[in-house]
Amino acid sequence: MANLVLFGAPGAGKGTQAELMNAWLPVPRVSSGDLFRYNLSNNTALGQTAKAYMDKGELVPDDVTVAMVAERLQRADCDAGVILDGFPRTVAQAEALDRLLGEMGRRLDAVLFIQVARQTLLQRLAGRWTCPSCGAVYHEVFNPERNKGLCDVDGAKLFQREDDTPETQARRIDVYQEQTAPLEAYYRTRGLLIEIDGEQDIEGVQAQIKTAVQAL
Ligand code: ADP
Ligand code: AMP
Ligand code: ZN
């Protein structure tokens, strides 16, 4: 059983690291951003609500976000634990998560804080390419696909996220500083925060995460 949060600014590498953790930690990754994008592409009511916020790089309201994640956590595949990616993003969401896990007789084991400087975040977001089919994430310089423009896993045509424009990228990092960064203190106080040097290359970051989780 492992209930983990991957915490860090947009572009820190949370999704990339969560995917790699699959190889040695058999618990599902739950990404609130992916859940919103799934709803968006299926044009659900939830997707329509979220779109206006996502387009601007703002956070979707807490009640909507918490309800969506709560529903996902209650599915059977999360019984063995979960790696949360992109959730929680506000103190209210963190409190809701504590409550949700408590109701399931569980609690968080650790919050892995992937620390990356703003300049690096911008470089990573600017070169990010995503697979529409399997969600794999590439970077045109730091983690290029083997065949230009095509996913290594399934050959689908890669795309750049609509919210990866320079303006929205900068806004998302500001929103992180204003609304999400306070979670660092929230989790440090509770003794859950583990600091990871996110400036290292993808393998270097993964090695730190693996060592930290195996020591729990
Ligand atoms: P997040 O989920 O935190 O927003 P991603 O995992 O999508 O971040 O990574 C953002 C971009 O940075 C992607 O293009 C990814 O390939 C690249 N990236 C992730 N980790 C690293 C790293 N340690 N070094 C260089 N590039 C990275
Ligand atoms: P991400 O894929 O994590 O970069 O998230 C993309 C967008 O989805 C964010 O910019 C927000 O608009 C929205 N989003 C994702 N997770 C959350 C969350 N926990 N709380 C509020 N909004 C979120
Ligand atoms: Zn793919």
Side-chain angles (χ1 to χ4, degrees):
M1 170 69 86
N3 299 292
L4 303 171
V5 168
L6 286 177
F7 175 58
K14 302 180 295 297
T16 302
Q17 295 301 327
E19 274 308 308
L20 293 171
M21 290 168 77
N22 259 332
W24 51 271
L25 192 66
V27 302
R29 161 191 178 216
V30 170
S31 153
S32 44
D34 280 358
L35 292 173
F36 282 129
R37 279 184 289 278
Y38 176 82
N39 277 279
L40 213 61
S41 61
N42 288 286
N43 206 26
T44 66
L46 174 62
Q48 286 166 10
T49 303
K51 182 173 169 34
Y53 298 95
M54 296 175 76
D55 284 349
K56 285 188 289 191
E58 306 289 338
L59 296 186
V60 179
D62 286 335
D63 53 345
V64 177
T65 305
V66 167
M68 175 182 75
V69 173
E71 195 266 329
R72 178 69 188 84
L73 284 180
Q74 275 146 19
R75 287 197 227 152
D77 65 330
C78 292
D79 285 353
V82 67
I83 301 170
L84 285 163
D85 162 7
F87 182 93
R89 258 170 154 105
T90 63
V91 171
Q93 290 180 16
E95 290 168 350
L97 177 62
D98 289 341
R99 264 198 316 278
L100 280 171
L101 289 174
E103 283 162 16
M104 296 192 267
R106 290 153 62 172
R107 57 177 178 74
L108 270 185
D109 296 300
V111 174
L112 299 151
F113 178 24
I114 307 179
Q115 290 182 286
V116 176
R118 185 182 180 99
Q119 199 49 42
T120 310
L121 296 173
L122 289 168
Q123 282 172 357
R124 289 186 185 172
L125 291 173
R128 172 161 69 184
W129 289 81
T130 305
C131 174
S133 167
C134 71
V137 173
Y138 300 88
H139 190 282
E140 49 196 42
V141 179
F142 307 130
N143 183 28
E145 64 278 14
R146 279 194 295 273
N147 297 313
K148 181 91 184 134
L150 303 177
C151 179
D152 290 355
V153 182
D154 49 37
K157 193 167 177 292
L158 303 179
F159 76 107
Q160 280 196 300
R161 277 169 49 175
E162 270 181 42
D163 60 351
D164 271 346
T165 63
E167 301 73 40
T168 319
Q169 285 162 6
R171 180 65 194 140
R172 273 155 52 217
I173 296 173
D174 291 343
V175 166
Y176 169 83
Q177 287 303 340
E178 292 159 16
Q179 301 184 49
T180 308
L183 285 179
E184 184 185 337
Y186 180 92
Y187 285 126
R188 195 189 303 281
T189 305
R190 285 161 177 73
L192 290 173
L193 199 76
I194 299 176
E195 290 178 50
I196 303 290
D197 173 12
E199 295 284 341
Q200 294 185 20
D201 64 15
I202 291 172
E203 290 69 32
V205 176
Q206 181 68 192
Q208 293 174 67
I209 290 177
K210 191 169 181 181
T211 303
V213 172
Q214 289 178 340
L216 286 174

